[in-house]
Amino acid sequence: MSTSCLIEVSALLLYIRFIRGEPTKHIPLINSTVATRREQTTGSWEVIQRTLNGSQFYTFSVCNVGEREQDNWLRTTFIQRRPSASRVFVELQFIVRDCNSFDGASLTCKETFNLFTSESDADVGTTFRKGQFKKVATIAPDEITSKNELRINTETKVVENLSRKGFYLAFQDIGACIALLSVRVYYKTCPATVKSLASFPETVAGGENQALREVSGVCVENAISEELPRIYCTVDGEWVVPVGQCQCKPGYEEVEDECQECKAGSFKAEASGDKCTPCPANTQELDSGAVVCPCMDGFYRAPNDPPTGPCSGLPSAPRDLVATTSAGKLLLTWSPPEDTGGRTDITYSIECQRCEGMVCQSCGEKIRYEPAGVGLTDTKVSVSELDAHLNYTFTVEAHSGVTIFSFQRYPPKITAMRVMERSSTSLSLFWDVKPRVHPRPIRYELTYRKKVRHSRFFYPDKYGFCIFLFRKRNSHTRQGPEDTYFSSSEQLKPLKTYVDPHTYEDPNTAVLKFATEIHPSHITKQKVIGAGEFGEVYRGILKVPGRKEVAVAIKTLKPGYTEKQRQDFLSEASIMGQFSHQNIIRLEGVVTKFKHAMIVTEYMENGALDRYLRDHDGEFASFQLVGMLRGIAAGMKYLSDMSYVHRDLAARNILVNNTLECKVSDFGLSRVLEDDPEGTYTTSGGKIPIRWTAPEAIAYRKFTSASDVWSFGIVMWEVMAFGERPYWDMSNHEVMKAINEAFRLPAPMDCPSAVYQLMLQCWLQDRSKRPRFGDIVSLLDKLLRSPDSLKTIADFDPRISIRLPSTSGSDGSPFRSVSEWLESIKMSQYSENFACAGVVTMDQVLQMKNEDIKNIGVRLPGHLKRIAYSILGLKDQTSTLSVFAV
Ligand code: AMP
């Protein structure tokens, strides 16, 4: 508490002049005014000098104890009031003489006096009207002063509910012998303070009509709070009940009511009351104010590792591999890697090569591993169904949570390449690799293609694909190594433009130009995996003599085809054969010279992206989804650089392999017209997949790379929503109407804000303003390089963004069972968890809290949210479908 004085009238105010006996004329004094009654002639308040404990001081005194009907007044000057101070305290110091000490005066003598107040908006000067004063209190002494002994009393009275600009105090004597030593008038305040990192201003304490005054605070610099911090000021000037808490921003910690930057080498990831913590193992120590410590080169965080945790290295190779045979089986055993990279999730995989003479190839599925060939946690495996006549080479690789992550996404960079020697028939090439901290050998593959003026070299290691360009200035002049020009893939300019197979008079010529003819005897069909427009699609094996056996997809042309259909079918190969990019499905070759035409492409183990994501709903972190989008964008950049417009970019036309690489597919000339079930006839003619297609392409068939960018935005949405159908069950007509009215799809659940912003950019009406695929790749790369950038999540409305059913089924009745409800939100896999936990009615479901959902075994954050949001939706039956305006 603190007090603020309005006036202090003390005995030390020596300037007070006091004029007695002038009944109506009041002389203004510096701090007090004395009033006497006209009819009073026998004495009134006067200033008397006294000596107390050796000090001299002045008092206002009155002592008419022998007279009747005393009514002597002493009034202060005008006391201005601070507007918020409605309650003031009046502290008096005074002396009262014992009536018994006056001989014969006891009948008229009093031992009390009265305190009065009068409010006013202006200083009325010396005018004094008794009737305007209200009594505050009778002042009685605790101790009275006898003849011999002086007793000073101190009494404090409260004047409440003041509302005008100022007031006067007055003291009424009714026949006592009093000396007023001092008057102190003050109000109470809660002092300016900082509590819970919020600063609160000095606040005048309230009165009896407002015992607690609520005050809002402001977070101190570099602190934030979700809720406005508040606190209450009591009538006694005490702060009580602080509500809400400010917390230091990420990168700052609390030090004595301030937020100070984390010191260099420490970090704080979130706004919290925690202190900064030292950067964990294998991370870079940044300057002060770090919110995260990025991994050191060569160290990584697995997607499920917390961004605040340590980074781990890649495991070194397993040791002491030993092969023994028993009971016709081969038993491989080994010791764990010396360096696990600091991780405990080490698994092993086996790779097998079988060699006949000098020719080696992958063992493929011809041998059996027990318990498995991948994902082994034990350091042994048994191998059977080996061929006694062949030599086998087994390689055991150690993996951990960071292995796939680092290798897949960031293959080591090939930074400089040199030609060291050359002859008319040979070249010696050297290159540098960064970073060098790879625990196991990197493999390089060199491909050479003859070109008239250019040669291209491809150096894909097992996990990546770096392209280097080697250009001869003049193939006829002699050159030294310094004449050779290399550039990294980043600097590569497109070497060629896509050639429309229609420009060839005979489409068969185009196929032969762009695709390799395969003999059907080299193809083994194994299993039907899909149905294409022209016939079945098979998984199979391609075994060309002298080349490694590879898994392939084989598209077939069903019997009874027309020549036109055959040409359309093969046109896809003519187009695909012109492309060579990591994220474009690779054409192995075609069969055209036999009755059953076939197109053979690389095999993508996980099939179409939309279905794959639907089957793995909620199982990937944003980081992984953005990684997939990055791959698709890179493929599209390549296509747009070659001036190829895809026209049917959609998640269903992206294929996924077993390392989650995404590749653009579906290049048939007739595909949009005939093949795609999403194709719908438009008024401008032609079939168009409406919900993936840019408005200008729908309206007047303006298909460009910019319209592909629009479709890419829809693919982004499909990916971030785990294969949800864009615009759900809205009709094509409704979709077109909504788009024309500037509505756009809302952010999917848990979608990083930066990713959603990019989608919105792709859906700009003005196609010239949309980003280009090059921009998209750069932005996605940037996001992947700083995982923090994915932490801010776009606003999300569960009622709009996941098609949560209302409480009613289609027939208007509530869900009949928990499993029916779970099925409707595609979460049937948890039916048993609910049943085991005894949650068997929808009423029980509605009572569930997030914690309960977790406790019954729903662990994946995506699933947890879907179920929680659905319960929320069930409670709120007003859910409607709409889309966001931009
Ligand atoms: P498409 O005629 O290209 O649309 O292929 C039909 C279906 O066959 C696709 O949806 C995939 O499920 C499957 N498919 C096509 N090509 C491949 C491939 N290269 N690898 C794996 N599956 C494929």
Side-chain angles (χ1 to χ4, degrees):
M1 178 201 76
S2 73
T3 57
S4 293
C5 267
L6 289 170
I7 62 157
E8 196 156 326
V9 184
S10 80
L12 295 173
L13 293 170
L14 300 174
Y15 316 102
I16 295 172
R17 280 173 59 224
F18 176 64
I19 297 175
R20 277 175 70 181
E22 288 190 28
T24 49
K25 196 174 168 204
H26 308 292
I27 308 297
L29 303 173
I30 290 178
N31 268 321
S32 68
T33 297
V34 176
T36 61
R37 280 182 47 177
R38 176 188 284 271
E39 56 273 21
Q40 182 190 328
T41 54
T42 51
S44 186
W45 293 87
E46 58 187 333
V47 177
I48 294 179
Q49 191 179 16
R50 290 173 192 274
T51 307
L52 195 63
N53 297 337
S55 317
Q56 285 223 324
F57 59 99
Y58 292 85
T59 64
F60 287 95
S61 301
V62 65
C63 193
N64 297 329
V65 292
E67 312 290 330
R68 289 178 180 276
E69 290 184 33
Q70 289 299 301
D71 189 17
N72 306 313
W73 288 76
L74 174 70
R75 195 204 74 181
T76 63
T77 46
F78 186 60
I79 305 166
Q80 287 220 339
R81 189 177 68 85
R82 183 171 158 174
S84 50
S86 62
R87 182 179 207 240
V88 298
F89 296 80
V90 181
E91 184 198 89
L92 305 173
Q93 280 192 311
F94 59 95
I95 298 163
V96 178
R97 273 283 294 272
D98 182 357
C99 281
N100 293 329
S101 62
F102 300 107
D103 295 336
S106 56
L107 276 181
T108 49
C109 176
K110 301 281 184 315
E111 286 178 352
T112 60
F113 63 101
N114 297 318
L115 172 65
F116 280 78
T117 184
S118 168
E119 282 198 83
S120 167
D121 281 326
D123 188 344
V124 295
T126 56
T127 314
F128 174 70
R129 288 202 188 91
K130 212 167 74 177
Q132 287 174 340
F133 279 78
K134 268 191 330 200
K135 183 167 170 182
V136 178
T138 299
I139 313 291
D142 291 331
E143 293 181 284
I144 46 179
T145 295
S146 64
K147 259 186 192 153
N148 311 322
E149 221 177 337
L150 202 67
R151 300 277 185 175
I152 298 175
N153 292 278
T154 303
E155 186 100 355
T156 303
K157 296 292 173 196
V158 180
V159 183
E160 294 271 10
N161 301 330
L162 294 171
S163 60
R164 300 177 73 171
K165 286 197 175 138
F167 61 96
Y168 295 93
L169 294 175
F171 306 94
Q172 182 200 27
D173 163 51
I174 49 171
C177 189
I178 327 158
L180 200 52
L181 275 68
S182 81
V183 179
R184 198 162 72 89
V185 182
Y186 61 89
Y187 58 92
K188 291 185 181 175
T189 60
C190 290
T193 187
V194 174
K195 279 194 192 313
S196 309
L197 290 177
S199 59
F200 298 92
E202 186 197 36
T203 302
V204 175
E208 62 184 5
N209 56 353
Q210 194 191 13
L212 289 177
R213 240 179 209 174
E214 184 180 311
V215 183
S216 297
V218 181
C219 289
V220 300
E221 215 179 329
N222 297 315
I224 46 173
S225 77
E226 281 178 7
E227 199 189 339
L228 200 64
R230 284 170 292 135
I231 197 166
Y232 295 88
C233 179
T234 67
V235 284
D236 292 325
E238 306 286 344
W239 291 115
V240 292
V241 203
V243 181
Q245 160 93 41
C246 296
Q247 294 181 321
C248 290
K249 291 198 299 199
Y252 289 84
E253 64 183 345
E254 183 176 348
V255 180
E256 291 169 358
D257 288 341
E258 281 181 7
C259 289
Q260 288 185 4
E261 276 191 329
C262 293
K263 299 214 162 50
S266 67
F267 79 107
K268 202 180 109 206
E270 281 169 4
S272 70
D274 297 344
K275 288 277 175 197
C276 301
T277 41
C279 284
N282 306 321
T283 57
Q284 298 171 33
E285 296 191 351
L286 299 182
D287 285 347
S288 55
V291 295
V292 76
C293 304
C295 292
M296 279 164 35
D297 271 359
F299 293 89
Y300 312 90
R301 289 188 177 102
N304 289 336
D305 288 352
T308 50
C311 299
S312 16
L314 303 169
S316 58
R319 294 165 299 150
D320 314 326
L321 179 59
V322 176
T324 49
T325 46
S326 93
K329 287 187 180 173
L330 181 74
L331 183 67
L332 299 176
T333 56
W334 59 91
S335 308
E338 198 162 11
D339 177 9
T340 60
R343 299 190 69 87
T344 51
D345 56 350
I346 302 290
T347 59
Y348 305 95
S349 68
I350 318 293
E351 223 181 270
C352 166
Q353 291 253 309
R354 58 195 185 114
C355 301
E356 236 174 325
M358 296 294 284
V359 182
C360 291
Q361 56 184 269
S362 165
C363 303
E365 292 171 8
K366 293 211 163 70
I367 57 171
R368 266 171 64 90
Y369 296 106
E370 188 57 39
V374 292
L376 292 163
T377 47
D378 252 359
T379 53
K380 61 176 187 244
V381 70
S382 106
V383 191
S384 56
E385 294 178 25
L386 294 167
D387 189 330
H389 307 289
L390 296 176
N391 280 334
Y392 290 91
T393 307
F394 291 94
T395 311
V396 181
E397 288 183 1
H399 305 267
S400 72
V402 297
T403 322
I404 294 175
F405 175 78
S406 61
F407 275 88
Q408 269 181 8
R409 307 280 181 233
Y410 300 110
K413 242 194 179 149
I414 295 168
T415 49
M417 184 161 153
R418 302 167 294 282
V419 177
M420 301 306 278
E421 276 176 42
R422 68 170 71 233
S423 74
S424 57
T425 55
S426 70
L427 286 176
S428 290
L429 304 175
F430 285 75
W431 56 87
D432 292 338
V433 180
K434 274 187 188 161
R436 283 216 152 270
V437 275
H438 279 273
R440 48 187 192 173
I442 304 162
R443 296 179 206 176
Y444 303 92
E445 201 173 294
L446 182 68
T447 313
Y448 172 77
R449 279 192 201 170
K450 258 191 179 170
K451 284 204 145 244
V452 184
R453 295 186 51 206
H454 305 294
S455 301
R456 292 178 89 192
F457 291 85
F458 299 88
Y459 301 91
D461 73 13
K462 196 175 170 199
Y463 303 94
F465 200 97
C466 307
I467 305 171
F468 281 78
L469 170 67
F470 168 76
R471 194 171 68 195
K472 282 184 183 172
R473 272 197 199 146
N474 178 342
S475 55
H476 301 297
T477 50
R478 274 192 71 216
Q479 292 176 321
E482 68 285 2
D483 291 326
T484 314
Y485 168 73
F486 296 97
S487 87
S488 75
S489 56
E490 253 63 51
Q491 297 159 314
L492 257 188
K493 293 282 171 293
L495 290 174
K496 48 182 187 174
T497 303
Y498 152 77
V499 181
D500 185 342
H502 276 141
T503 56
Y504 285 78
E505 232 168 79
D506 176 5
N508 293 316
T509 320
V511 185
L512 290 176
K513 182 166 169 50
F514 297 121
T516 313
E517 181 74 23
I518 300 174
H519 195 278
S521 65
H522 298 153
I523 299 169
T524 315
K525 286 189 221 147
Q526 292 176 315
K527 189 181 157 197
V528 176
I529 51 166
E533 182 216 344
F534 296 98
E536 268 126 10
V537 183
Y538 293 81
R539 186 190 72 188
I541 299 281
L542 173 66
K543 173 70 193 84
V544 176
R547 274 180 56 190
K548 237 166 69 176
E549 180 180 292
V550 283
V552 287
I554 304 148
K555 285 189 172 184
T556 60
L557 179 60
K558 58 187 167 236
Y561 54 83
T562 62
E563 179 53 25
K564 163 90 172 58
Q565 281 173 324
R566 183 175 177 277
Q567 284 174 9
D568 282 349
F569 170 70
L570 290 173
S571 69
E572 178 166 20
S574 311
I575 296 167
M576 218 190 290
Q578 299 183 48
F579 305 140
S580 172
H581 188 272
Q582 173 97 0
N583 299 101
I584 305 288
I585 198 84
R586 188 180 71 245
L587 179 71
E588 293 288 354
V590 284
V591 177
T592 62
K593 296 190 175 151
F594 293 81
K595 192 173 162 214
H596 299 293
M598 292 181 234
I599 297 175
V600 181
T601 66
E602 67 179 305
Y603 179 61
M604 301 292 283
E605 292 82 351
N606 284 316
L609 178 61
D610 60 337
R611 159 151 294 228
Y612 178 72
L613 287 174
R614 280 198 280 273
D615 291 346
H616 294 84
D617 189 359
E619 291 176 23
F620 297 112
S622 300
F623 185 88
Q624 290 168 298
L625 299 177
V626 175
M628 293 179 190
L629 290 175
R630 194 267 172 210
I632 303 166
M636 288 308 298
K637 174 182 182 313
Y638 175 86
L639 293 182
S640 64
D641 284 348
M642 284 188 72
S643 309
Y644 178 83
V645 179
H646 190 289
R647 297 179 179 217
D648 195 10
L649 179 58
R652 65 183 168 278
N653 290 328
I654 304 292
L655 293 168
V656 189
N657 69 11
N658 58 356
T659 59
L660 298 195
E661 254 171 350
C662 290
K663 307 202 182 195
V664 181
S665 79
D666 212 31
F667 299 102
L669 275 184
S670 62
R671 70 203 187 284
V672 181
L673 292 173
E674 317 288 345
D675 190 12
D676 192 331
E678 286 291 348
T680 307
Y681 286 101
T682 64
T683 47
S684 61
K687 251 174 140 188
I688 287 176
I690 298 293
R691 53 197 76 215
W692 281 265
T693 306
E696 73 276 6
I698 297 176
Y700 49 97
R701 301 189 62 74
K702 184 76 191 162
F703 285 98
T704 57
S705 288
S707 62
D708 276 354
V709 164
W710 178 290
S711 312
F712 180 78
I714 303 288
V715 173
M716 289 180 75
W717 190 92
E718 290 183 277
V719 169
M720 300 314 291
F722 285 96
E724 183 65 87
R725 180 171 168 74
Y727 311 96
W728 308 279
D729 49 8
M730 287 167 75
S731 70
N732 279 342
H733 182 74
E734 283 169 334
V735 171
M736 285 192 285
K737 187 165 174 293
I739 293 296
N740 282 338
E741 287 168 3
F743 286 98
R744 299 292 184 266
L745 280 165
M749 185 168 77
D750 274 346
C751 179
S753 187
V755 175
Y756 183 56
Q757 287 310 314
L758 180 57
M759 288 183 210
L760 293 176
Q761 294 292 306
C762 294
W763 300 329
L764 287 175
Q765 184 74 23
D766 180 348
R767 67 175 191 278
S768 68
K769 298 221 167 86
R770 294 174 203 152
R772 282 168 308 184
F773 281 112
D775 306 323
I776 295 174
V777 174
S778 310
L779 185 92
L780 294 176
D781 272 342
K782 218 162 111 189
L783 296 182
L784 288 168
R785 272 197 299 270
S786 53
D788 262 359
S789 61
L790 299 174
K791 273 193 179 162
T792 312
I793 302 301
D795 283 344
F796 165 76
D797 183 339
R799 288 169 307 169
I800 300 170
S801 301
I802 42 177
R803 291 291 290 133
L804 297 173
S806 67
T807 39
S808 305
S810 53
D811 58 355
S813 61
F815 288 110
R816 274 160 301 194
S817 65
V818 175
S819 46
E820 187 181 302
W821 161 66
L822 284 171
E823 197 173 319
S824 78
I825 56 167
K826 296 185 225 146
M827 292 282 109
S828 299
Q829 66 267 44
Y830 295 110
S831 288
E832 221 173 286
N833 300 51
F834 278 75
C836 290
V839 181
V840 289
T841 66
M842 287 310 289
D843 274 350
Q844 287 172 297
V845 167
L846 287 174
Q847 303 304 319
M848 289 180 86
K849 308 238 162 13
N850 285 4
E851 213 40 47
D852 305 328
I853 307 170
K854 226 189 249 173
N855 287 343
I856 68 166
V858 181
R859 297 265 184 264
L860 284 172
H863 292 185
L864 204 69
K865 276 195 189 153
R866 179 174 280 263
I867 292 172
Y869 279 138
S870 172
I871 294 175
L872 211 73
L874 289 170
K875 287 181 184 162
D876 177 4
Q877 295 184 32
T878 59
S879 62
T880 48
L881 171 67
S882 59
V883 279
F884 284 174
V886 288

